[in-house]
Amino acid sequence: MSEHVEWSEPEAPAPTASAAVTPADAADAARLVSFGLQPKLQPARDQEYADLLRRYREDPPFARLADAVATGLGLIVLEVSPRAGMAVTAAEDSVFAVRMGDYARRTSADGGDRFLHGLAHLAVAAMAFPRPEDLADDGYIGRVTVNGVDAFVRQACRRLEERAAEQGENTDPATDAPGLEAAWRIWVRRSSTGATKDARRLAGSTTGIVAKAVAFLTDSGFLQRTGDDNGGTYRTTARYQLQVRDMAGSAALAELLELGVVPVTDGTPTLLPPEESDDLDLVADAGLPFHSS
């Protein structure tokens, strides 16, 4: 009789079957990641997207599955929330990674201008979020203008030039010099606007380069255009805040912020006036994301 009791034991194990991943689960997880790759898509305007975000937050196994799908595509999940959607960034080896060479080709920039385009993106990030607390505050919205970013870089260039002169290094930088130390020499030699005969801004001018940078960020869902003043005015999105958080530890961004060109009082970034100099046109109310090739 005891043998019959032992035979009945195998009835216990079954919970694993209910936890098995179904093709429908995998499809939903991949669908959520695909929404995350559409940076301009807002969860509040797409019911399916909102439903999948809710499932991600409330269903841990589904969240792990979606994270695994993203990882398999070479994506890093920065945040999953109603405000940002499924915000992802591409790892260096991902097919979705945007490289500086690719960006330069999109903007028709030659090899010599790639450095300036990178600096423009760095400056936009620094002006948009000049303090660590701005990056930490989910409710903070940064605001920048094309002319303001150019004026900011030129003021930073002036600081770098002064620093180089003080150190007796006011010559072409050595190969191991920080990137910004080399950049200011190139930026200040370039015309700020260089308008054409019909008053259009030259693409190769520094404001033209900044305009391309913010246009790219707008197309990528990182900025929103809010007006035409000062060459174009823009506000940051939650996705851009997450992207800048991800790059906040970069040496170049830290070096740019340490120059102290963008003081903050009430949360609005402004430019410091030039000391004992009237030769710099600062703009009133001036207020990346790449992997190396």
Side-chain angles (χ1 to χ4, degrees):
M1 294 290 291
S2 61
E3 291 181 10
H4 290 290
V5 173
E6 291 179 12
W7 266 104
S8 65
E9 269 188 330
E11 292 183 10
T16 53
S18 60
V21 174
T22 68
D25 293 331
D28 285 346
R31 181 71 170 156
L32 178 57
V33 174
S34 75
F35 283 137
L37 290 169
Q38 302 174 60
K40 288 188 175 182
L41 183 62
Q42 299 180 13
R45 298 183 179 180
D46 190 294
Q47 188 60 50
E48 183 184 7
Y49 194 3
D51 290 343
L52 288 173
L53 287 173
R54 188 179 305 109
R55 183 179 176 188
Y56 182 99
R57 298 195 308 275
E58 298 175 356
D59 184 350
F62 178 74
R64 289 193 296 271
L65 179 60
D67 288 344
V69 171
T71 300
L73 292 172
L75 300 171
I76 300 168
V77 179
L78 299 176
E79 180 176 302
V80 180
S81 67
R83 77 179 188 111
M86 186 169 198
V88 296
T89 187
E92 188 170 356
D93 59 349
S94 172
V95 68
F96 298 103
V98 177
R99 305 185 184 281
M100 197 57 190
D102 300 330
Y103 171 78
R105 283 189 288 275
R106 290 187 197 182
T107 57
S108 302
D110 60 34
D113 281 356
R114 293 181 187 180
F115 202 51
L116 298 182
H117 280 274
L119 181 55
H121 277 273
L122 202 63
V124 172
M127 280 207 79
F129 304 103
R131 304 173 302 180
E133 51 264 43
D134 301 332
L135 281 177
D137 181 3
D138 288 347
Y140 182 86
I141 296 176
R143 302 179 189 278
V144 299
T145 70
V146 170
N147 293 348
V149 171
D150 180 51
F152 165 51
V153 177
R154 289 184 180 275
Q155 183 70 359
C157 290
R158 181 175 178 273
R159 291 293 176 88
L160 286 164
E161 185 175 13
E162 291 172 351
R163 187 172 72 182
E166 290 170 1
Q167 297 173 351
E169 299 173 354
N170 203 9
T171 59
D172 286 340
T175 55
D176 59 348
L180 292 179
E181 198 67 31
W184 69 260
R185 306 171 191 276
I186 304 173
W187 194 279
V188 296
R189 293 171 187 162
R190 188 67 62 90
S191 168
S192 180
T193 54
T196 60
K197 291 180 180 179
D198 56 358
R200 286 183 294 110
R201 181 169 49 203
L202 283 177
S205 66
T206 53
T207 53
I209 288 170
V210 174
K212 287 180 179 180
V214 295
F216 174 83
L217 291 171
T218 301
D219 289 341
S220 301
F222 296 136
L223 296 178
Q224 293 176 345
R225 189 178 179 104
T226 58
D228 298 325
D229 295 339
N230 293 318
T233 59
Y234 299 81
R235 56 175 283 173
T236 61
T237 66
R239 280 176 171 260
Y240 190 51
Q241 186 179 48
L242 293 170
Q243 287 283 345
V244 177
R245 279 179 190 171
D246 191 51
M247 66 175 281
S250 71
L253 182 59
E255 186 182 2
L256 191 57
L257 289 172
E258 285 170 5
L259 291 174
V261 179
V262 188
V264 179
T265 52
D266 61 352
T268 302
T270 57
L271 292 172
L272 282 174
E275 299 173 3
E276 301 178 0
S277 175
D278 296 324
D279 59 353
L280 194 64
D281 286 328
L282 296 183
V283 179
D285 301 320
L288 14 95
F290 303 112
H291 297 287
S292 59
S293 57

